[in-house]
Amino acid sequence: MPYRLIESYDPEAIDDFRSLKGKGGHLTKGLFIAESERIAHKILASRFEVPKAFMTREQFDSLRALLEGRSDHTDIFIAPKAEMEQIIGYHLHQGVMLAVRIPANRTLSEVASHWPEPFLAAALDGITDAENMGAIIRTAAAFGAQAIIVDGQSCNPYLRRSVRVSMGKIVDIEIVRVPDLAGALSHVRSERPCRIIGAALANESLSLDEVERQGSVILVFGSEGWGLRREVMDACDLLVRIPMNANVDSLNVAIASGIFLHEFSRH
C-alpha cells in the first residue's frame, strides 16, 4: 500500500508540522509544507514525493483515491482539526498539510538544454517577499515559462507562504537556484542564444511598446526595494520599463512580471 495511516504517534514524528508560523526548519531537511485541499490535490497528482502528511479523517477520505494511485510511500498522521491547529500554531481553513520532498536542484545549463525553441524563462534578483515569490511562480506557470531562475539573494521559493500563493503551481514549473545570477545569465546565453531583458527603471530603459517580442527570451525581475542590481543590469541585453501614468513610477514586482510574461508569451 502506498501509505500508512497513523492515529497514535510520538510528538517527534510530526515535528515537521509543529509551530509552523514563521518557521522553516523543515526546509533544512529538504521538505516543503503544502496546505489546503486544492493544493494537496495538485501535489498528490504530481511526480513530487510526499513522505509525510497530516490531516483529518475527513480529508483522508476525500484524498484517498489519489493517495492509492501513487507509487511512493506516505506516512499519514490523522488528527482532529482542533488538535492539528494546536500543533501547527495557527487556524486552519482546511484540515490537510503535506510534507513534500524538494526536488534536487539541477544546473541551469542542464535545464536549459531541454528548453524548446523559442523559449521563455524568468529570472529573479533579490525577491525577498514570499507572497511575491509565489505570485510570480503562479504567473510564470500560467504563461508557459519553461523555468524560474532564482538567485541567492531571493527568499526560498519553497517557503510555505510562497507555495500557498502559487496555488501549487510550483510543481508545474522548474525552479533553478543559482548563487550568481549575472554569471548564470551570461553563461546560459552563450549556450542557448536568446535575449536577456531586464525590467528596470533606468535612463537607458526602452518602453515595453518599443520592444520586439519574437524569439527566445529570459525576463529578469528585481528586488521589491531597489530593483535590479547593477551587475545584473549589465548582464542584460536591454532594459525595459512599462509605460504608465507619470504620477506612478513603478508597480509591485508580481504585477509587473505578469504584464511582461503575458506580453512575451503571446509571441
Side-chain angles (χ1 to χ4, degrees):
M1 183 176 289
Y3 61 83
R4 177 175 58 143
L5 286 185
I6 306 170
E7 299 189 65
S8 178
Y9 40 81
D10 187 288
E12 289 188 6
I14 54 168
D15 195 52
D16 294 316
F17 302 103
R18 186 177 299 281
S19 302
L20 285 174
K21 196 167 186 178
K23 297 184 178 180
H26 47 275
L27 293 169
T28 63
K29 302 177 185 178
L31 299 172
F32 70 87
I33 302 297
E35 57 189 341
S36 90
E37 185 174 2
R38 183 174 177 182
I39 295 175
H41 270 270
K42 184 159 190 60
I43 288 175
L44 291 174
S46 77
R47 59 181 173 79
F48 279 53
E49 296 180 27
V50 183
K52 292 183 180 181
F54 193 29
M55 65 183 72
T56 63
R57 170 66 67 170
E58 293 76 17
Q59 285 290 353
F60 168 71
D61 291 338
S62 173
L63 296 168
R64 185 170 186 165
L66 276 173
L67 286 160
E68 290 181 347
R70 292 180 59 82
S71 59
D72 60 338
H73 177 84
T74 304
D75 283 340
I76 303 173
F77 299 92
I78 301 292
K81 189 164 174 281
E83 183 178 323
M84 290 183 66
E85 290 176 341
Q86 185 178 15
I87 289 166
I88 67 174
Y90 58 86
H91 173 68
L92 268 178
H93 292 293
Q94 298 168 334
V96 57
M97 307 193 82
L98 307 179
V100 188
R101 183 78 58 199
I102 297 172
N105 189 54
R106 298 200 291 166
T107 67
L108 183 54
S109 292
E110 181 184 2
V111 171
S113 67
H114 298 289
W115 291 347
E117 190 67 44
F119 59 80
L120 175 65
L124 308 183
D125 177 29
I127 301 299
T128 57
D129 182 86
E131 292 193 5
N132 282 336
M133 177 67 74
I136 294 169
I137 290 169
R138 184 178 182 183
T139 301
F143 291 120
Q146 270 68 55
I148 295 181
I149 306 160
V150 181
D151 82 318
Q153 305 298 313
S154 295
C155 68
N156 193 314
Y158 295 99
L159 286 170
R160 180 175 57 85
R161 183 169 292 184
S162 173
V163 173
R164 186 181 69 215
V165 174
S166 82
M167 292 303 294
K169 290 295 181 183
I170 199 162
V171 306
D172 291 330
I173 188 166
E174 182 114 33
I175 307 292
V176 185
R177 287 167 285 176
V178 298
D180 172 18
L181 182 60
L185 292 173
S186 298
H187 182 70
V188 77
R189 180 175 46 203
S190 69
E191 297 182 335
R192 293 295 308 268
C194 63
R195 287 181 301 159
I196 298 175
I197 297 177
L201 296 173
N203 292 334
E204 63 268 40
S205 294
L206 300 176
S207 170
L208 183 57
D209 294 339
E210 303 174 305
V211 178
E212 172 64 49
R213 310 290 204 277
Q214 304 293 336
S216 295
V217 172
I218 299 176
L219 299 171
V220 192
F221 305 104
S223 160
E224 298 90 347
W226 60 81
L228 295 176
R229 290 172 294 150
R230 185 71 253 177
E231 60 265 35
V232 176
M233 287 189 192
D234 292 342
C236 295
D237 297 302
L238 65 158
L239 302 176
V240 177
R241 56 179 170 77
I242 299 169
M244 63 182 78
N245 189 301
N247 294 324
V248 181
D249 64 354
S250 63
L251 295 173
N252 170 272
V253 65
I255 294 173
S257 71
I259 293 170
F260 272 87
L261 286 159
H262 174 258
E263 284 295 315
F264 284 90
S265 70
R266 293 164 57 203
H267 300 277

